[in-house]
């Protein structure tokens, strides 16, 4: 198994190289050259396996023997032992045919833990084998930073530097990052906004000279291993509901499209999926593209579901590559046009997307209404991201017979502000985090200057 770029001009890479690389040298994203298949029997054999057992089987062809089976199995088992629910990602039945897949039982209470608990361990394994160390840099306005820190805190060969905008993330989100006191974890509060932090990380990847040879690794959702890890819960939940005999639909609160693209990969592997429903907040580029063929950037809107606040959806490129029948040159031309001006997809690729995907956009007022309505109907308190999914599933499902699984991407305690606005007294943090507000914090405040940040990273990394 090799990995190829969506823009067709970068060299094909092995799994190990692709995990250590991030973005392709031609500006594209890596995808597997062939899609491995899960046969009817493969799926039937998964009934009754543990989550880690299913994860090992689903991911093994992507890893391509580059980690031996026994080692990979133990990496997977360790990664999912960090989840506080025995089922790892339990399915919660809301009504006759609507289910919530609870992806928030990991260390930081959002679905990004599913991929980042695994990715940190895979990176550490490869670096150990090569006798190398690496530096991770990332900018976060919320969930990714804390999940990356939790995923790397025990990794001997990694030092992680996460930039967040000073005084512009919620206290819970900041503390989930800054109370991890491991000696390879560095939190930097930038005196600027998220875009300033993001720009400094991008500039550091573009010119890595300040690290004098140490590898810089990306853990955002352009890293293939994150997609790979997320394929698993689509398979596991569909098997619980009767796959391969019965098809299901999925509704996915979406932003950078990493999550729902993983679902699409599961379908390509052979999982019977009737429909993918993309839920967006007011930042609705995905919905506008699918519904109106309006593939254009619009101003960022700050919403009650902040982890879905985006202007451009980076992983959508991976789906475009499939919709354009793997024509890298066409994808490159389309995305270059998109960067410059509002554009549209060609008719045939758009029709292919509409075969598998529907979409729906939910504004802030509706998010609050849905949190109240869902509680009234089901007793569940949804987080604002999951609320967009709940509404989109009901609005955009093609039929009432096929079970629909809405992905619950965060625990409501993590986004208490919206829950309180919806009229609830607040949601307690789960027991393993109930002292979060008392824990010791450690972070460094730096000006929004590239040289200051790079000097801090160069001086504090452990190699
Ligand atoms: C990251 C995130 C999303 C969006 O996921 P994508 O893979 O970027 O589409 C949705 N909800 C929550 C809570 C998140 O943290």
């Amino acid at each position: 198994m090799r990995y190829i770029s969506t823009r067709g001009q970068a060299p094909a890479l092995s799994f190990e190289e692709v995990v250590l690389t991030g973005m392709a040298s031609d500006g594209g994203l890596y995808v597997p050259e062939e899609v491995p298949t899960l046969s009817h029997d493969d799926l039937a054999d998964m009934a009754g396996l543990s989550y880690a057992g299913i994860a090992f089987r689903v991911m093994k062809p992507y890893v391509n023997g580059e980690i031996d089976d026994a080692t990979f199995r133990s990496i997977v088992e360790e990664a999912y032992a960090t989840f506080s629910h025995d089922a790892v990602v339990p399915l919660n039945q809301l009504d006759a045919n609507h289910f919530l897949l609870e992806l928030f039982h990991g260390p930081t209470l959002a679905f990004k833990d599913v991929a980042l608990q695994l990715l940190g361990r895979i990176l550490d394994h490869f670096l150990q084998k090569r006798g190398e160390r690496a530096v991770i840099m990332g900018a976060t306005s919320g969930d990714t930073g804390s999940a990356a820190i939790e995923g790397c805190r025990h990794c001997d060969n990694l030092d992680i530097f996460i930039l967040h905008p000073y005084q512009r993330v919620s206290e819970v989100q900041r503390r989930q990052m800054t109370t991890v006191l491991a000696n390879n974890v560095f939190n930097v509060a930038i005196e600027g906004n998220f875009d300033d932090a993001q720009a400094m990380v991008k500039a550091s990847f573009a010119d890595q000279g300040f690290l004098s040879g140490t590898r810089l690794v990306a853990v955002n959702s352009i890293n293939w291993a994150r997609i790979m890890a997320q394929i698993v819960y689509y398979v596991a939940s569909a098997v619980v509901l009767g796959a391969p005999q019965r098809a299901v639909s999925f509704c996915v609160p979406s932003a950078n499209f990493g999550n729902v693209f993983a679902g699409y990969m599961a379908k390509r592997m052979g999982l019977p999926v009737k429909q993918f429903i993309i839920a967006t907040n007011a930042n609705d580029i995905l919905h506008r593209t699918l519904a109106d063929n309006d593939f254009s950037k619009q101003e960022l809107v700050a919403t009650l579901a902040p982890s879905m606040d985006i202007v451009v959806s980076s992983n959508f490129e991976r789906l475009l590559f499939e919709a354009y029948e793997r024509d890298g040159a066409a994808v490159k031309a389309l995305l270059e046009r998109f960067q410059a001006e509002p554009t549209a997809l060609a008719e045939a690729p758009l029709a292919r997307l509409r075969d598998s995907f529907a979409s729906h956009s939910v504004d802030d007022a509706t998010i609050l209404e849905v949190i109240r309505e869902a509680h009234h109907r089901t007793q569940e308190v949804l987080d604002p991201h999951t609320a967009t999914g709940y509404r989109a599933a009901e609005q955009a499902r093609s039929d009432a017979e096929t079970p629909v699984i809405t992905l619950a991407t965060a625990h409501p305690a993590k986004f208490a502000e919206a829950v309180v606005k919806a009229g609830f007294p607040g949601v307690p943090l789960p027991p393993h985090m109930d002292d979060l507000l008392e824990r010791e914090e450690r972070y460094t405040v730096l000006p929004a200057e590239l040289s200051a940040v790079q000097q801090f990273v160069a001086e504090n990394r452990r190699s």
Side-chain angles (χ1 to χ4, degrees), residues 251-257 260 276-291 298 301 303-313 316 357-367 370 384-393 395-396:
C251 180
V252 188
S254 294
N256 275 318
F257 210 76
V260 65
F276 290 104
I277 300 161
I278 297 167
T280 73
N281 62 19
N283 298 286
D284 61 352
I285 180 168
L286 292 166
H287 176 58
R288 284 185 287 113
T289 303
L290 270 161
Q298 278 186 0
V301 183
T303 74
L304 290 170
S307 299
M308 290 161 61
D309 289 350
I310 47 118
V311 173
V312 176
S313 180
F316 191 54
F357 293 88
S359 62
H360 187 75
S361 159
V362 179
D363 64 18
D364 271 5
T366 309
I367 287 176
V370 172
H385 306 82
T386 306
T388 68
Y390 182 89
R391 173 56 60 93
Q395 292 291 315

Side-chain angles (χ1 to χ4, degrees), residues 82-85 88-90 102-107 109-110 113 411 432:
T82 64
F83 280 59
S84 62
H85 196 293
V88 182
V89 292
E102 295 182 357
L103 300 174
F104 52 69
H105 294 279
L109 310 181
D113 289 325
H411 189 290
H432 67 279

Side-chain angles (χ1 to χ4, degrees), residues 216-281:
L216 193 56
V217 174
V219 295
N220 54 12
S221 63
I222 64 170
N223 193 309
W224 169 256
R226 284 189 56 180
I227 308 284
M228 173 184 84
Q230 292 170 176
I231 298 170
V232 175
Y233 48 72
Y234 289 90
V235 176
S237 59
V239 164
V240 168
L241 292 187
Q245 279 80 16
R246 180 160 79 148
V248 296
S249 292
F250 289 97
C251 180
V252 188
S254 294
N256 275 318
F257 210 76
N259 198 354
V260 65
F261 184 75
Y264 172 79
M265 286 301 299
K267 179 173 180 173
R268 290 286 304 273
M269 291 175 78
L271 192 73
V273 179
K274 175 121 192 227
Q275 215 190 355
F276 290 104
I277 300 161
I278 297 167
T280 73
N281 62 19

Side-chain angles (χ1 to χ4, degrees), residues 20-93:
L20 290 168
T21 301
M23 189 176 283
S25 57
D26 58 3
L29 304 182
Y30 277 105
V31 291
E33 190 160 35
E34 314 95 40
V35 180
T37 51
L38 288 168
S39 69
H40 194 276
D41 287 351
D42 290 336
L43 289 169
D45 284 349
M46 288 181 189
L49 289 188
S50 67
Y51 186 80
I54 293 176
F56 174 78
R57 290 198 189 183
V58 170
M59 294 189 286
K60 181 175 148 73
Y62 295 105
V63 174
N64 194 31
E66 294 173 44
I67 305 175
D68 71 77
D69 283 359
T71 306
F72 187 51
R73 199 181 276 276
S74 66
I75 286 175
V76 170
E77 277 170 5
E78 272 179 39
Y80 297 117
T82 64
F83 280 59
S84 62
H85 196 293
D86 285 345
V88 182
V89 292
L91 256 187
N92 178 352
Q93 183 158 11

